[in-house]
Amino acid sequence: MPQHATITDADYAALADFRFSLRQFQAFSESRAAECGLTPQQHQALLVIRAAAPGLASIGHVAERLILKPHSATGLIDRLVALDLVERRPSSSDKRQALLALTDLAHAKLDRLSATHKEEIRRLRPMLNELLDKLDG
C-alpha cells in the first residue's frame, strides 16, 4: 500500500473551508452574471474573449479555456452572437478561422461584472490567505 503524507484534522478542515469559499465565490459570480442577463458560461466566454491576446480569440481558444468540446463552444458563441454580445470577424492570417470580438454591449456588461468581481476577490483575500497559510503549516 502506498505511503501518503499525513493529513491532519486541521488540514481536512482547511480544505473543506477552502472548497466552501470557492463555492461561495462561484455562487456570487453566478448571481451577478444573472443580474446582467448572462449565464455563468456566457460570462466566462466574454471574459476569455476579452482577455485573449490579439488574434487569439477564436472558438478553439474559448473551448480550451472553458474546457468545452469545440461544437459546444460553437453553440455558446452562436448564442452570444444572437444576443449581440460577440461578433465573428475573418482572420487575416487564416481565412478558415473566425476571430471573436466583443460588442459595445458586451464590453459594458463585462466592465460592470469585472468591477464587482474584483471587489469580491479583494474582500475574500484575507480569508483565502489565512486558509492557504493553514495548508502550508
Side-chain angles (χ1 to χ4, degrees), residues 4-72:
H4 294 284
T6 303
I7 305 293
T8 67
D9 289 344
D11 291 335
Y12 285 114
L15 289 166
D17 287 345
F18 184 74
R19 296 284 305 198
F20 177 66
S21 298
L22 291 176
R23 183 62 193 116
Q24 282 184 308
F25 180 77
Q26 185 176 0
F28 164 86
S29 182
E30 290 169 356
S31 174
R32 294 309 174 278
E35 289 171 7
C36 288
L38 298 172
T39 67
Q41 197 173 52
Q42 289 170 336
H43 172 215
Q44 288 178 315
L46 296 180
L47 191 57
V48 166
I49 293 165
R50 174 63 181 85
L56 291 183
S58 65
I59 290 176
H61 181 70
V62 171
E64 176 185 324
R65 298 294 296 197
L66 270 58
I67 312 172
L68 296 172
K69 299 211 179 300
H71 70 275
S72 296

Side-chain angles (χ1 to χ4, degrees), residues 42 59 69-81 88:
Q42 289 170 336
I59 290 176
K69 299 211 179 300
H71 70 275
S72 296
T74 298
L76 174 60
I77 297 304
D78 287 345
R79 289 185 294 280
L80 291 170
V81 168
R88 284 184 173 97

Side-chain angles (χ1 to χ4, degrees), residues 114-125:
S114 296
T116 60
H117 279 69
K118 278 181 66 174
E119 289 173 21
E120 182 67 2
I121 290 168
R122 284 188 184 114
R123 187 187 73 73
L124 293 173
R125 179 185 294 191

Side-chain angles (χ1 to χ4, degrees), residues 99-114:
L99 296 180
L100 307 172
L102 300 183
T103 64
D104 289 342
L105 177 61
H107 277 288
K109 287 179 182 275
L110 191 58
D111 287 350
R112 188 170 45 243
L113 280 167
S114 296

